[in-house]
Structure formats: C-alpha cells, structure tokens
C-alpha cells in the first residue's frame, strides 16, 4: 500500500480504529466537494486578473501558493485535521492555480481549457484502465514511480535554490526538444501517481476511519493540481515554439 504521493501514506490508514469507516463512494463525494472549492478559488483570482489587473491579483495568488503549502504540510502530518484543512487547502490552491492560469491564458489564448480538458481526460482514462485491471500495481511499479517522483522533486528543488544565486538548470525550462521531453516525462510520472492513489484508496475502503475520506480526497486534489500545472507547463512550451 505504498504510494509516491506523500499525502497518502499507509500509516494513516493503519491508524483507523473506529466503527465508522471510509468508503470509496465517500472519498469520491469529498473529492467532488474539494474540486468545486478549488474551482471557486481559481475563479476568484482569474476574475481579479481580468477585471482589476495583475496588481490586484498577485497578493491573492502568492498567498494561495504559500498558504496551500503550509496547510498541505499540516494535513500530511495530522490527517485528522483533513475535514477542515482539506477545504482550506483547496481554496488556497485555487487562488494559486487561478492566477497562474490567467497569466498563461493572456499570453497563450485557449491554453487553459486545453490543460483542463487534458487533465480530466488523463484522470478518467487512467481510472478506466485501473478499474479494468489493465495496469497491475505491483511493488516494482510503486517503487519505480516513487523513485521517479523523488527525482523530479530533487530537480525542482535544485532549480529553486539555484535561482536564488542567479543560476538555473539548463534546457529543462526551455521550449527546445530537451525541455519539452522533460515536461512530457513529468506529466507521465504525475499521471502514474493517480494510479497509485486509486489503488491506495481502494485498499483503504472499509479499513480507514471516516475522516480519511477527506484525507484521501485531499491527496487526489494534490495530485490533480500537480498534473494540471505540468500539463499547463508542457502546453506553454509547445505554444512558445
């Protein structure tokens, strides 16, 4: 039951001791609620950008980026807070995604609807593949995705630290073949995380405490937000060529 999503961890499910247990349907319902809150948050910063300009939108977007990270860390370490922190995270993440999306939409008209469509297309396609058991979540599969995800996180961390010293990793952020290839790989890894999350949540059905429905939904929203951002990044590279 290991997963490369740092939000969904086996120890959280193993702690369930109550009579009221998590169900898959409950997790799906909570995911829909959190997704709706994310869209509301994104709509807020999107409208600020187009109605009042980026100066009015920037504090909300940056607050969303920082706030979402802080709330995500709290929720990851204290899953019992997920019924409260999950909705808060979704709204804050929406603020961040809405601002980023507005910037890119202004530069590349139509890119946001393409990214949204591809994100949900990948989600439902992988869900169908998983339900049909066309993909087996073996230990080697989990380990491979975990290692790839950790590698990507390390590359991004090195790049972030490098920017403070006026240096960045060459090529991967460019719109050349290497940069596009890198983004394709990251999108694939982000998508494979969804498969691990589906498997993890299914195995938690009937075992985890009821509040874990919120925690599981929170984990899926984290993965979907990452997948959307990476697809948006890939499309922006393709459009800039």
């Amino acid at each position: 039951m290991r997963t490369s999503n740092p939000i969904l961890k086996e120890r959280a499910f193993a702690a369930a001791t109550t009579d009221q247990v998590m169900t898959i349907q409950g997790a799906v319902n909570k995911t829909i609620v959190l997704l709706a809150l994310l869209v509301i948050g994104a709509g807020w910063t999107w409208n600020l950008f187009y109605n009042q300009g980026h100066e009015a939108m920037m504090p909300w977007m940056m607050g969303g980026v920082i706030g979402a990270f802080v709330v995500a860390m709290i929720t990851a370490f204290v899953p019992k807070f997920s019924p409260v922190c999950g909705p808060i995270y979704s709204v804050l993440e929406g603020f961040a995604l809405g601002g980023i999306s507005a910037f890119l939409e202004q530069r590349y008209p139509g890119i946001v609807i393409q990214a949204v469509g591809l994100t949900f297309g990948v989600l439902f396609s992988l869900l169908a593949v998983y339900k049909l058991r066309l993909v087996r979540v073996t230990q080697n599969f989990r380990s491979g995705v975990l290692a790839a995800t950790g590698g990507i996180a390390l590359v991004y961390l090195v790049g972030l630290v490098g920017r403070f010293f006026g240096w960045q990793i060459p090529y991967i952020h460019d719109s050349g073949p290497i940069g596009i290839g890198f983004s394709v790989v990251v999108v694939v890894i982000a998508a494979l995380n969804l498969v691990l999350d589906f498997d993890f949540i299914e195995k938690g059905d009937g075992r985890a405490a009821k509040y874990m429905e919120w925690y599981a939904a929170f984990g899926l929203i984290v993965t979907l937000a990452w997948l959307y951002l990476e697809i948006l990044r890939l499309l922006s590279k393709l459009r800039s060529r």
Side-chain angles (χ1 to χ4, degrees):
M1 288 179 63
R2 291 176 59 195
T3 171
S4 60
N5 187 337
I7 300 303
L8 302 179
K9 290 178 280 194
E10 182 178 0
R11 64 175 177 81
F13 280 152
T17 57
T18 63
D19 293 332
Q20 282 193 323
V21 294
M22 167 188 163
T23 64
I24 293 177
Q25 186 58 53
V28 170
N29 293 340
K30 293 342 186 258
T31 301
I32 293 173
V33 171
L34 296 188
L35 188 59
L37 291 173
L38 186 147
V39 171
I40 291 172
W44 175 257
T45 46
W46 177 281
N47 287 330
L48 280 177
F49 180 84
Y50 281 100
N51 294 328
Q52 300 182 33
H54 73 276
E55 294 87 357
M57 181 273 295
M58 281 298 295
W60 290 89
M61 187 186 78
M62 296 307 301
V65 171
I66 298 171
F69 176 78
V70 172
V71 174
M73 291 299 99
I74 294 173
T75 311
F77 285 103
V78 191
K80 287 187 177 181
F81 290 173
S82 56
V84 175
C85 289
I88 294 174
Y89 167 83
S90 296
V91 174
L92 292 172
E93 185 68 20
F95 290 160
L97 294 183
I100 295 170
S101 299
F103 273 122
L104 289 175
E105 179 68 19
Q106 186 181 57
R107 186 171 183 180
Y108 309 111
I111 193 174
V112 170
I113 190 63
Q114 292 174 348
V116 170
L118 286 171
T119 300
F120 281 100
V122 170
L123 170 65
F124 292 121
S125 296
L126 288 179
L127 181 59
V129 167
Y130 176 76
K131 296 298 289 184
L132 292 172
R133 306 303 179 190
L134 299 178
V135 173
R136 297 292 180 180
V137 183
T138 64
Q139 185 58 43
N140 289 335
F141 182 86
R142 292 189 186 94
S143 299
V145 175
L146 176 62
T149 304
I152 293 168
L154 181 61
V155 169
Y156 282 163
L157 179 61
V158 170
L160 180 63
V161 173
R163 289 192 177 188
F164 286 104
F165 298 96
W167 173 85
Q168 66 177 5
I169 300 176
Y171 303 118
I172 66 171
H173 299 298
D174 299 335
S175 59
I178 295 178
I180 291 175
F182 176 79
S183 288
V184 169
V185 171
V186 176
V187 168
V188 171
I189 298 304
L192 292 178
N193 272 272
L194 288 174
V195 177
L196 297 187
D197 296 341
F198 296 152
D199 180 70
F200 186 73
I201 293 171
E202 182 179 56
K203 289 179 178 177
D205 182 34
R207 292 179 53 196
K210 193 67 175 177
Y211 69 83
M212 290 299 294
E213 292 177 352
W214 285 105
Y215 192 70
F218 164 70
L220 274 177
I221 291 297
V222 170
T223 303
L224 282 174
W226 178 35
L227 178 62
Y228 169 75
L229 281 174
E230 295 300 340
I231 290 176
L232 202 60
R233 183 196 299 267
L234 173 60
L235 291 176
S236 66
K237 290 180 180 180
L238 292 172
R239 292 282 292 271
S240 67
R241 289 176 62 84

